[in-house]
Amino acid sequence: MSLGDGASGGGDTEYGGVGQTRTRLPGGRSGDVYGGARRGRSSSRSLVTVVGVVVLLIAAIAFANRGDGRSSSAEGGEPRVDSAPTAASGARPVQSKTGGLPSGFAHDQQGAGSAAANYAVALGSTGMFPKDSRHNIVNALYTAAAASKLQGPMDQAYSASFLNKLGLDANGNAPQGSTFVSRTVPVGTKVEQYSGNSAKVSVWYMGLIGMSGQGSTNPVSSTWKTWTFELQWSNGDWKIVRDSQTDGPAPVPGDDKAASSDEISKATEEYGGFTYAR
């Protein structure tokens, strides 16, 4: 997914070390998850395959986002904004939606942070996998110049082969009886730089991706990433100039019992997303 289940640059070491994740499996499953994928070596190989593919996707997107120079938010020796906790302020985050996506963010630091969080949610959603909805999302969230450069390479990255490895058909649809999950859940935002008409905002998030269905070899799993957006005030709203992702920081995994396929599918259908802001 465009939420980075891989990083365009470097990888942070996971807390606890490689191979130390503890997973408590549902009772009566004899170690099986979703009836087909085991949390042992076979599942690891399957997950590595998916992660490897997504790494290529993120690399393609990162390549497409490269410009001829640095964005305005990184030029001119602008002061770095001190980090601050993402505390609730009571300010309404957004006044409207455009094509189902939050829009009309405030022209200030808080508005830039809110925009980045909500843009991460949209770009990490299942809407990024079908071509038409992906084009709509990218055109709505990026500057016109950035979107025009990004659409072609992104279409190539979301190839039929890539979608097939995620269990989707060539149009980005899940097979009948299965539910494809792709969600970005922001934990917090940090305004790295701000100069009035440009901003650089990092979003720390947990991502969910995988196929929920009996016999799925890629059960829904979580990942922790930081997504950094360089934003520009354009036509009355914040727009993305370019973005990048890095791994972590990831917390130590807990001992939560893995849910069944039916439980994940039901939760995905019953629990909607939020408009993220302060």
Side-chain angles (χ1 to χ4, degrees):
M1 55 186 171
S2 186
L3 76 84
D5 199 7
S8 61
D12 297 340
T13 303
E14 295 184 7
Y15 293 159
V18 178
Q20 297 182 19
T21 301
R22 294 172 295 172
T23 304
R24 182 182 300 163
L25 300 174
R29 292 268 180 173
S30 300
D32 285 337
V33 177
Y34 296 0
R38 300 182 62 86
R39 286 291 189 186
R41 294 184 178 179
S42 61
S43 177
S44 297
R45 287 194 298 268
S46 170
L47 182 58
V48 167
T49 298
V50 174
V51 170
V53 172
V54 179
V55 166
L56 295 176
L57 170 60
I58 296 302
I61 295 174
F63 178 82
N65 277 336
R66 292 192 308 177
D68 294 332
R70 301 177 68 183
S71 72
S72 57
S73 63
E75 294 177 349
E78 294 167 0
R80 181 181 179 88
V81 179
D82 292 335
S83 62
T86 311
S89 67
R92 186 172 179 176
V94 68
Q95 303 298 322
S96 60
K97 287 189 175 183
T98 301
L101 301 173
S103 62
F105 293 93
H107 191 181
D108 55 23
Q109 289 190 40
Q110 183 170 307
S114 298
N118 285 283
Y119 294 172
V121 171
L123 292 169
S125 70
T126 55
M128 289 296 291
F129 294 84
K131 183 177 181 179
D132 289 344
S133 60
R134 179 173 65 252
H135 281 204
N136 291 335
I137 291 173
V138 171
N139 286 332
L141 304 188
Y142 287 80
T143 64
S148 65
K149 292 180 180 178
L150 187 60
Q151 294 287 19
M154 190 174 278
D155 287 344
Q156 293 178 6
Y158 282 92
S159 65
S161 175
F162 167 71
L163 296 175
N164 180 64
K165 290 180 180 178
L166 292 177
L168 303 171
D169 64 20
N171 295 316
N173 300 313
Q176 186 174 3
S178 296
T179 301
F180 179 62
V181 179
S182 179
R183 288 195 183 186
T184 301
V185 185
V187 177
T189 63
K190 179 172 66 172
V191 179
E192 305 277 3
Q193 295 175 347
Y194 181 80
S195 67
N197 288 324
S198 63
K200 183 177 181 179
V201 184
S202 293
V203 181
W204 179 35
Y205 74 89
M206 180 186 72
L208 299 175
I209 187 168
M211 186 72 71
S212 176
Q214 294 298 327
S216 170
T217 57
N218 293 311
V220 180
S221 60
S222 61
T223 182
W224 290 85
K225 305 287 181 182
T226 299
W227 206 333
T228 300
F229 296 91
E230 295 182 29
L231 305 173
Q232 182 181 87
W233 186 257
S234 176
N235 296 323
D237 212 347
W238 291 106
K239 300 293 183 180
I240 305 169
V241 176
R242 58 175 60 86
D243 57 301
S244 60
Q245 296 194 53
T246 57
D247 292 335
V252 176
D255 286 330
D256 301 308
K257 183 177 71 173
S260 68
S261 172
D262 289 341
E263 289 172 323
I264 291 294
S265 296
K266 184 178 180 180
T268 301
E269 295 169 358
E270 293 182 349
Y271 292 88
F274 297 96
T275 297
Y276 290 85
R278 297 199 280 170

